[in-house]
Amino acid sequence: GPDYIPQNSSFSEKITDAILSHKYFGSGVLAHSYYDKSKIIKQPSAISLCNFIVKKEAFDEFGFNERIGYGGEDTEFLYLLMKKYNMKFSYEPAIYVYHKKRKFGYSYFKQRLKFRINNGKMIFAYPDLYLANKKFMLFLLGITFGLIVLFAQPRIFLAGFALYFLLLILLSASFIKKDIRLFILLPPLLFIQHIIYYCGIVAGLLNFYKYRELKKIRRI
């Protein structure tokens, strides 16, 4: 289920929550998005384990893969259950928790960068997990294509970037009702997060020379 921000949270924590919960350009984690309908989960990365129930027997069999480290171990755990036992997980908005968010700033972006570096590394261990994720691939290939256009056709890139930023603004309009300060801050902060996400994934992919070592992380 969802993990709502506590009502007594600081504005700094509300910024983090706004970035993560943004429906179109946020974290991509359904549990962070305040989604209000029941839904069968198809991608293990859509679940947040701060509000998650699973049978003890299932957890005892796999647990968390310590070789992955912090960031990605939860997604791998869910992937294994889906892959080996064809388990299905349901998102239920009525089962919610209040989860304190990390304060916005350096520590938040450092955490996000670490997560994406691990994602890049894990592509070598579980290519079917990440390459089958349409949102992940659209993000990775979209920015890569944009960078190619930047050097090949700068004017086209600037037009595309202007459209992208306009979408950031328009699709953040719902935050005006919550706090207009969030609406003002979201477009530039989401842009920064997207750059950090991309750089992290690329940094993880640069570990290709450790392919054999990374391949051993795979458990099925």
Side-chain angles (χ1 to χ4, degrees), residues 113-127:
L113 179 65
K114 181 175 178 56
F115 285 174
R116 300 313 148 212
I117 290 174
N118 263 9
N119 289 158
K121 290 180 178 179
M122 289 301 293
I123 289 176
F124 298 109
Y126 292 100

Side-chain angles (χ1 to χ4, degrees), residues 34-201:
Y34 289 72
Y35 190 74
D36 60 358
K37 297 180 182 178
S38 298
K39 186 175 182 179
I40 298 298
I41 300 298
K42 295 182 179 180
Q43 291 291 341
S45 59
I47 302 176
S48 175
L49 267 63
C50 66
N51 184 11
F52 176 74
I53 300 169
V54 67
K55 291 181 179 180
K56 183 178 183 298
E57 294 80 8
F59 184 81
D60 286 343
E61 176 168 356
F62 290 116
F64 292 139
N65 190 341
E66 295 184 3
R67 288 179 293 179
I68 296 176
Y70 177 51
E73 77 288 357
D74 49 354
T75 300
E76 188 232 28
F77 169 65
L78 297 176
Y79 169 80
L80 295 177
L81 295 178
M82 290 179 171
K83 190 79 172 177
K84 186 171 182 179
Y85 297 113
N86 197 30
M87 273 193 185
K88 298 184 183 302
F89 297 97
S90 174
Y91 172 86
E92 296 295 339
I95 304 174
Y96 60 88
V97 299
Y98 289 102
H99 184 237
K100 187 175 177 64
K101 300 297 190 293
R102 186 180 294 264
K103 289 183 178 181
F104 176 77
Y106 172 76
S107 63
Y108 167 75
F109 282 130
K110 181 180 179 181
Q111 179 200 51
R112 297 288 115 184
L113 179 65
K114 181 175 178 56
F115 285 174
R116 300 313 148 212
I117 290 174
N118 263 9
N119 289 158
K121 290 180 178 179
M122 289 301 293
I123 289 176
F124 298 109
Y126 292 100
D128 46 336
L129 169 59
Y130 290 94
L131 300 182
N133 188 324
K134 294 180 181 178
K135 290 183 179 180
F136 179 85
M137 292 305 299
L138 179 63
F139 172 81
L140 183 61
L141 296 177
I143 294 186
T144 301
F145 177 74
L147 292 174
I148 293 172
V149 173
L150 171 61
F151 293 100
Q153 296 289 339
R155 291 184 180 180
I156 295 177
F157 171 84
L158 290 175
F161 181 79
L163 177 61
Y164 156 77
F165 213 85
L166 178 61
L167 286 174
L168 285 179
I169 295 171
L170 294 176
L171 296 177
S172 300
S174 60
F175 286 89
I176 294 176
K177 295 180 180 179
K178 295 182 179 181
D179 191 325
I180 194 169
R181 294 175 295 175
L182 294 175
F183 168 68
I184 294 171
L185 289 170
L186 269 176
L189 294 182
L190 285 169
F191 167 67
I192 293 171
Q193 173 156 290
H194 292 163
I195 295 301
I196 289 175
Y197 273 28
Y198 182 79
C199 290
I201 294 170

